[in-house]
Amino acid sequence: MSIDYDRYDRIRAVQWQGDHLRLLDQRLLPRAEEWIDCRDAAQVTQAIRDLAVRGAPAIGIAAAWGVVLAAQQGAPLEPALAMLRAARPTAVNLMWALDRMKARITAGADAAALEREAQAIQDEDLAANRHMGELGAALIAPGSGVLTHCNTGSLATAGFGTALGVIRAGVSAGRIDEVYAGETRPWQQGARLTMWELVRDGVPARLIADSAASHLMRSGAVQWVIVGADRIAANGDTANKIGTYQLAIAARHHGVKFMVVAPSSTVDMATPSGEAIEIELRDPAELLAVAGQRTVVEGAQAWNPVFDVTPAGLIDAIVTERGVIEHPNALAMQAMFGS
Ligand code: MRU
């Protein structure tokens, strides 16, 4: 498949600078393109917690660089690992990257060796995304329309993206004609971030209100819903941004196919099913205001889970860099990822 990476893979939001980590502040996009310089593991932890850097693979990569900063400064590494690990609970890429760094530490790696490991984690993610782009796009019939949710692009990864990588590859290869992105309330990852990426790439895309998704599917304009993942359990149940589950239900009802795209670092074979995945609850204030402006009556309360679990039975394909699993279940997952 011919993919024009010069056009479709130009954004790098996580940039190692040798002695500090530079992050494109995703809280401000698209209004402002400002960079944050993290100079120790505590600043990286804060950036992950506050969503300055977000998206499952990107927070794993950032955390790995946080460990490198601690090592360069001669800081105790166990507390740094523990602090970074506790930054957010749902995306397993965070724990996966820290476990990988910890294994190198246990093997006696110095700061330079840890730097090479973090760079490998970042480079492998980019390579995985490009490979998944090809695998996922190959499932899509030419002339298709697709709907995506949240932001799974270069901002959320080392580059190119997972679900957005498949969309980029599909557009580049002439298989996808129409792209729709849901707003992704309350944090607006779709409206603020995915649309920013697609407009920069010159991909014609249309934003929809999250609540317009079923109506869109009924219209026949989309053949696939394509999403990323924060954790895929051993039976294929998939945690992703809140609202993904209702998209999967609506897709099945309308005969629209549902694809999950994630690197193997998102697969957690130690978690048997979605029920065991911890769902992050964030500050209800995120729901009670828009852009810092209170929109809900004082005294009102809110419940703000930011992920949900889509059961494997609603997923038509899980695409990882190791290959595609159609109709995922525990057996197929074990065959590809071991136990
Ligand atoms: O809360 P966020 O913005 O970090 O949530 C991100 C998502 O849910 C993404 O869909 C997921 O991490 C995959 S990113 C390639």
Side-chain angles (χ1 to χ4, degrees):
M1 192 175 293
S2 134
I3 297 166
D4 183 354
Y5 291 114
D6 289 339
R7 170 167 174 190
Y8 292 108
D9 189 13
R10 290 178 299 172
I11 302 164
R12 293 291 179 268
V14 179
Q15 297 185 6
W16 176 244
Q17 302 290 310
D19 63 350
H20 65 277
L21 182 63
R22 182 158 278 194
L23 299 171
L24 181 55
D25 190 343
Q26 301 192 31
R27 296 168 299 184
L28 306 180
L29 288 171
R31 194 167 36 83
E33 291 178 29
E34 285 180 19
W35 295 82
I36 304 173
D37 288 336
C38 297
R39 299 192 176 276
D40 59 31
Q43 288 178 350
V44 175
T45 305
Q46 194 65 37
I48 294 171
R49 201 178 289 134
D50 293 349
L51 310 186
V53 58
R54 45 138 303 279
I59 66 177
I61 294 162
W65 289 121
V67 176
V68 175
L69 287 170
Q72 285 183 340
Q73 290 153 9
L77 294 180
E78 279 298 334
L81 286 164
M83 175 177 65
L84 286 157
R85 198 179 185 91
R88 295 187 73 187
T90 305
V92 77
N93 308 62
L94 176 64
M95 297 72 183
W96 170 87
L98 291 169
D99 285 346
R100 214 169 127 166
M101 297 303 283
K102 190 179 172 159
R104 300 291 296 128
I105 292 165
T106 308
D110 60 5
L114 291 176
E115 189 173 350
R116 287 195 295 278
E117 188 70 3
Q119 190 62 55
I121 288 173
Q122 184 153 351
D123 294 346
E124 286 167 26
D125 187 63
L126 178 59
N129 290 339
R130 288 183 170 196
H131 187 42
M132 293 188 296
E134 297 208 13
L135 293 174
L139 302 175
I140 299 170
S144 293
V146 301
L147 168 64
T148 191
H149 189 56
C150 196
N151 172 266
T152 62
S154 302
L155 295 170
T157 63
F160 199 58
T162 58
L164 209 59
V166 168
I167 291 172
R168 285 185 156 114
V171 168
S172 181
R175 286 169 176 264
I176 296 176
D177 286 353
E178 297 260 19
V179 181
Y180 294 87
E183 276 182 301
T184 321
R185 283 279 294 148
W187 214 72
Q188 309 263 28
Q189 285 93 333
R192 296 193 304 102
L193 307 177
T194 298
M195 292 306 289
W196 180 80
E197 290 201 37
L198 291 172
V199 166
R200 274 177 73 118
D201 280 9
V203 173
R206 280 189 271 190
L207 183 68
I208 61 164
D210 296 323
S211 44
S214 293
H215 185 61
L216 173 72
M217 291 183 209
R218 192 173 177 189
S219 77
V222 295
Q223 285 65 52
W224 283 91
V225 174
I226 309 179
V227 298
D230 290 84
R231 191 182 293 235
I232 302 174
N235 68 346
D237 290 354
T238 295
N240 190 48
K241 180 53 55 193
I242 192 76
T244 303
Y245 177 30
Q246 65 194 17
L247 291 178
I249 293 170
R252 183 58 56 90
H253 181 77
H254 292 97
V256 170
K257 296 274 183 89
F258 192 88
M259 186 192 303
V260 171
V261 188
S264 55
S265 53
T266 307
V267 173
D268 179 9
M269 295 302 283
T271 294
S273 74
E275 271 171 56
I277 299 175
E278 182 181 349
I279 299 296
E280 179 180 6
L281 286 173
R282 289 187 72 87
D283 189 344
E286 290 179 355
L287 275 171
L288 299 171
V290 173
Q293 195 87 33
R294 178 96 187 186
T295 53
V296 183
V297 65
E298 292 296 337
Q301 299 194 344
W303 180 55
N304 188 21
V306 301
F307 299 100
D308 58 26
V309 174
T310 299
L314 292 177
I315 299 170
D316 292 289
I318 293 179
V319 177
T320 76
E321 79 282 11
R322 296 202 195 161
V324 176
I325 298 183
E326 297 198 46
H327 313 297
N329 56 33
L331 219 61
M333 288 291 292
Q334 197 177 4
M336 190 165 286
F337 299 104
S339 48

